[in-house]
């Protein structure tokens, strides 16, 4: 982490409240409070003081694993105390801790090792409204410091009470990011129907861990439909399948403008992610006269082909080569 970056974080910590949530609505039907109300919720007890991570950890054994992981996380390690920049420490998220440990010594004399900190004096992170939970993170993670968050305030996730904590599990190891290995499982917890789609016979290789939700979607928000990375479905697909992007001399009408005319993005019971099996896929838009002609042909082989239109029309996505009559019948 360089110092400029750190300065951005501080700068934005002061500017941020005015900016975020400004454009939010109540998509869930529950009224949103003014930002100031959420800010109050994350101040913590005003009669408590900050005591530092050393104190939080030294006083409470059960924090050993958490603090050890934390020390090795980007949050724990990136800012050196000498710089005088704000540390990211336990109290940055949990609120000031002096009251939590105020009576600990006395309690230890009474109950020995069973004595506990009074965590009820800390912020009750889990019970805060989602907007306040996210605000804890957004104080530092402005869209300037974390550009992927620029569409967060208007994202479908923010508007449906999904908070940063819902996806980022900060104490399940040193990793603060969502690990690529576990991303799909994380998303499936709230999108079980999508899991079903990826389990179908034909599917993008998410299960095989060759790609991820993140390859097509921006979970933090995007200006596009369905949090897509591309402006349209087609733009999203052709990021990887560039050979299908054209332009071709012989386009397939304008059908390839939307790949979803023929493909399901996640998975399908039909090979090649097709929404419907051939020939029915094609017959949705093309009359069956040509097919009937093929079916009645004396060659048995041709009749079988007639069910697999792309055996002949192999350049189904578009072609630069006319057929022998000079027409663009997408055959080569
Ligand atoms: C960047 C923010 C952040 C920082 C820094 C942080 N925590 Fe947390 N902590 C959280 C969140 C969010 C939760 C609630 C997670 C959840 O939903 O279970 C949590 C939960 C906890 C819990 C309760 C765990 C449980 O299973 O109920 C403990 C204990 C805890 N933190 C201790 C610490 C200690 C000790 C430190 C410093 C070494 C620390 N935290 C630093 C965000 C933070
Ligand atoms: C006190 C400031 C502060 C708070 C509060 C804070 N962060 Fe951070 N966070 C940082 C800094 C600084 C970095 C490292 C620089 C960077 O990547 O922007 C960082 C990095 C991260 C990273 C990137 C990790 C990586 O491997 O690149 C994630 C993910 C993250 N924070 C999530 C969160 C979440 C979720 C919360 C709220 C629970 C939160 N942060 C709260 C300051 C903070
Ligand atoms: C729906 C799940 C989800 C939510 C909600 C979410 N994140 Fe993320 N976040 C991710 C995923 C997935 C990544 C991508 C990991 C990667 O870069 O490989 C990520 C990456 C990050 C990163 C590091 C990479 C980057 O883009 O700079 C930071 C920092 C971060 N998130 C912070 C936040 C904060 C702060 C919030 C709340 C305002 C939040 N996230 C809400 C899923 C989520
Ligand atoms: C190959 C690109 C791609 C991948 C990988 C992908 N998606 Fe999608 N997803 C799409 C497209 C395209 C749409 C449809 C958008 C439309 O038609 O408006 C979509 C729609 C969705 C929707 C909304 C509609 C619905 O079907 O419920 C959700 C939720 C969703 N995806 C979640 C996920 C999750 C979770 C993952 C990872 C397990 C994932 N997606 C992986 C491309 C992808
Ligand atoms: C805590 C629950 C939760 C998690 C975790 C979660 N989502 Fe969502 N997601 C929602 C809700 C709620 C909505 C909005 C209602 C809906 O469309 O189901 C939504 C909507 C979406 C949409 C549809 C957007 C639209 O405009 O139709 C996509 C795409 C999506 N999520 C992708 C993801 C991806 C990718 C992940 C994992 C990185 C993820 N979600 C993790 C709860 C979640
Ligand atoms: C991040 C890159 C990426 C994006 C974006 C992407 N794909 Fe793919 N696609 C792949 C990979 C990888 C495969 C698997 C290739 C393999 O197994 O040989 C694949 C395979 C396919 C297949 C063949 C499936 C099969 O059963 O052989 C189709 C059809 C397909 N993608 C369509 C799409 C469509 C439609 C979109 C947009 C919604 C899309 N792809 C977006 C990477 C991508
Ligand atoms: C008119 C229907 C149709 C449209 C629209 C369409 N496809 Fe296809 N696509 C097919 C058919 C049919 C196949 C299977 C060909 C075969 O295997 O015989 C296929 C196969 C594929 C394959 C796997 C085999 C290969 O050729 O690499 C990919 C990848 C693919 N399509 C991507 C796309 C993308 C990206 C778009 C949007 C730009 C798109 N398709 C639009 C019908 C369509
Ligand atoms: C969503 C509707 C739609 C689907 C599905 C569709 N097509 Fe088309 N197709 C069109 C349109 C529109 C044209 C251009 C106008 C025309 O000539 O009929 C076209 C043109 C063609 C042409 C070129 C005709 C010419 O003389 O230029 C061929 C060959 C063709 N389609 C074959 C297929 C095959 C094979 C399939 C199935 C894999 C298929 N189409 C699926 C709509 C569709
Ligand atoms: C055995 C090879 C073969 C198969 C299989 C085949 N076609 Fe054709 N198709 C052709 C040839 C050759 C032409 C151009 C000359 C003609 O019209 O016979 C053509 C022309 C077309 C045309 C444009 C002109 C017209 O007659 O409508 C469309 C659309 C078309 N085919 C769709 C399909 C569909 C849909 C299927 C699957 C049901 C299919 N084709 C299967 C060889 C084939």
């Amino acid at each position: 982490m360089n110092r400029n970056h750190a300065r951005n974080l501080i700068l934005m910590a002061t500017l941020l409240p005015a900016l975020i949530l400004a454009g939010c609505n109540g998509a869930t039907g529950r009224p949103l409070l003014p930002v100031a109300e959420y800010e109050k919720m994350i101040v913590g007890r005003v009669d408590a003081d900050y005591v530092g991570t050393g104190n939080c950890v030294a006083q409470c054994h059960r924090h050993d694993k958490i603090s050890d992981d934390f020390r090795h996380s980007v949050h724990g390690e990136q800012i050196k105390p000498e710089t005088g920049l704000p540390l990211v420490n336990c109290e940055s998220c949990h609120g000031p801790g002096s009251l939590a440990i105020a009576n600990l010594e006395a309690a230890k004399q009474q109950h020995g090792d069973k004595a506990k900190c009074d965590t009820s004096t800390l912020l009750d992170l889990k019970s805060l409204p989602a907007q306040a939970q996210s605000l804890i993170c957004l104080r530092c993670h402005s869209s300037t410091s974390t550009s992927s968050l620029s569409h967060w305030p208007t994202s479908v996730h923010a508007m449906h009470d999904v908070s940063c904590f819902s996806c980022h599990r900060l104490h399940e190891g040193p990793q603060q990011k969502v690990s690529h290995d576990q991303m799909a499982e994380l998303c499936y917890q709230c999108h079980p129907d999508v899991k079903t789609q990826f389990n179908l016979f034909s599917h993008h290789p998410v299960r095989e861990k060759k790609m991820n939700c993140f390859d097509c979607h921006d979970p933090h928000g995007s200006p596009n439909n369905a949090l897509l990375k591309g402006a349209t479905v087609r733009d999203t697909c052709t990021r990887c399948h560039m050979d299908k992007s054209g332009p071709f001399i012989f386009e397939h009408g304008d059908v390839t403008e939307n790949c979803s005319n023929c493909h399901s993005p996640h998975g399908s019971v039909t090979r090649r992610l097709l929404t419907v099996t051939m020939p029915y896929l094609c017959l949705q838009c093309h009359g069956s006269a040509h097919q009937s002609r093929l079916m009645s042909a004396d060659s048995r082989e041709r009749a079988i082909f007639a069910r697999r239109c792309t055996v002949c029309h192999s350049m189904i996505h578009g072609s630069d080569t006319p057929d022998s009559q000079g027409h663009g019948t997408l055959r080569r």
Side-chain angles (χ1 to χ4, degrees):
M1 153 111 193
N2 64 38
R3 296 196 52 161
N4 274 342
H5 202 161
R7 244 185 236 112
N8 269 343
L9 285 174
I10 310 177
L11 225 181
M12 288 313 293
T14 46
L15 294 179
L16 197 67
L19 299 177
I20 42 161
L21 297 173
C24 265
N25 74 6
T28 50
R30 208 176 22 71
L32 278 180
L33 304 173
V35 182
E37 294 303 312
Y38 296 119
E39 280 173 345
K40 279 184 211 152
M41 295 177 199
I42 63 173
V43 169
R45 288 271 296 259
V46 283
D47 51 341
D49 291 318
Y50 288 93
V51 294
T53 291
N55 267 315
C56 298
V57 174
Q59 307 275 8
C60 276
H61 280 297
R62 71 190 192 91
H63 291 176
D64 287 356
K65 166 96 171 65
I66 286 184
S67 63
D68 194 47
D69 284 344
F70 186 73
R71 234 192 332 272
H72 295 104
S73 75
V74 231
H75 276 140
E77 76 188 1
Q78 37 79 42
I79 304 179
K80 298 209 169 57
E82 310 85 86
T83 62
L85 296 170
L87 281 161
V88 187
N89 62 18
C90 313
E91 292 169 301
S92 315
C93 298
H94 290 282
S98 66
L99 296 177
I101 55 171
N103 299 319
L104 196 63
E105 281 312 317
K108 271 187 181 154
Q109 290 181 358
Q110 264 191 8
H111 306 287
D113 278 351
K114 284 193 186 128
K116 289 198 173 116
C117 302
D118 182 6
T119 52
S120 69
T121 62
L122 299 173
L123 287 174
D124 185 1
L125 293 178
K126 288 184 183 171
S127 311
L128 289 173
Q131 287 76 6
Q133 290 180 338
S134 293
L135 201 52
I136 290 177
C137 316
L138 290 167
R139 267 189 321 204
C140 297
H141 289 282
S142 65
S143 57
T144 321
S145 64
T146 308
S147 57
S148 67
L149 286 168
S150 36
H151 296 286
W152 170 260
T154 52
S155 76
V156 67
H157 279 144
M159 289 189 183
H160 284 82
D161 288 351
V162 178
S163 88
C164 317
F165 306 0
S166 315
C167 295
H168 293 276
R169 308 282 155 83
L170 301 173
H171 295 318
E172 285 181 7
Q175 166 121 312
Q176 309 287 287
K177 277 194 183 181
V178 176
S179 93
H180 286 204
D181 250 19
Q182 287 156 18
M183 193 185 299
E185 286 306 323
L186 168 80
C187 309
Y188 292 155
Q189 285 170 16
C190 300
H191 298 292
D193 49 326
V194 176
K195 180 173 189 171
T196 313
Q197 291 161 2
F198 275 106
N199 277 333
L200 296 176
F201 160 72
S202 174
H203 54 268
H204 265 118
V206 165
R207 226 161 71 195
E208 291 76 7
K209 306 220 179 285
K210 288 192 198 149
M211 64 191 292
N212 231 315
C213 318
F214 190 59
D215 287 318
C216 296
H217 296 288
D218 270 328
H220 289 166
S222 103
N224 313 315
N225 249 349
L227 303 176
L228 288 180
K229 289 214 158 162
T232 59
V233 172
R234 184 178 202 276
D235 283 352
T236 307
C237 307
T238 51
R239 288 156 66 97
C240 295
H241 301 293
M242 285 173 268
D243 58 318
K244 309 287 188 281
S245 72
F248 300 103
I249 295 173
F250 303 106
E251 300 277 356
H252 188 162
D254 57 1
V255 269
T256 51
E257 275 312 306
N258 188 352
C259 312
S260 323
N261 278 332
C262 299
H263 296 288
S264 310
H266 298 151
S268 152
V269 290
T270 309
R271 57 185 284 284
R272 298 283 193 233
L273 292 169
L274 293 176
T275 49
V276 180
T277 49
M278 278 189 282
Y280 308 105
L281 173 69
C282 317
L283 299 178
Q284 291 177 116
C285 302
H286 296 288
S288 56
H290 168 60
Q291 193 208 18
S292 309
R293 195 146 37 86
L294 291 165
M295 296 284 269
S296 63
D298 39 6
S299 155
R300 237 176 108 70
E301 220 174 308
R302 277 189 148 214
I304 292 167
F305 281 173
R307 309 197 147 273
R308 282 281 301 281
C309 314
T310 48
V311 170
C312 296
H313 300 286
S314 60
M315 302 308 287
I316 195 69
H317 302 99
S319 155
D320 291 329
T321 318
D323 64 16
S324 50
Q325 269 84 54
H327 301 300
T329 45
L330 310 176
R331 284 184 296 135
R332 52 185 184 176

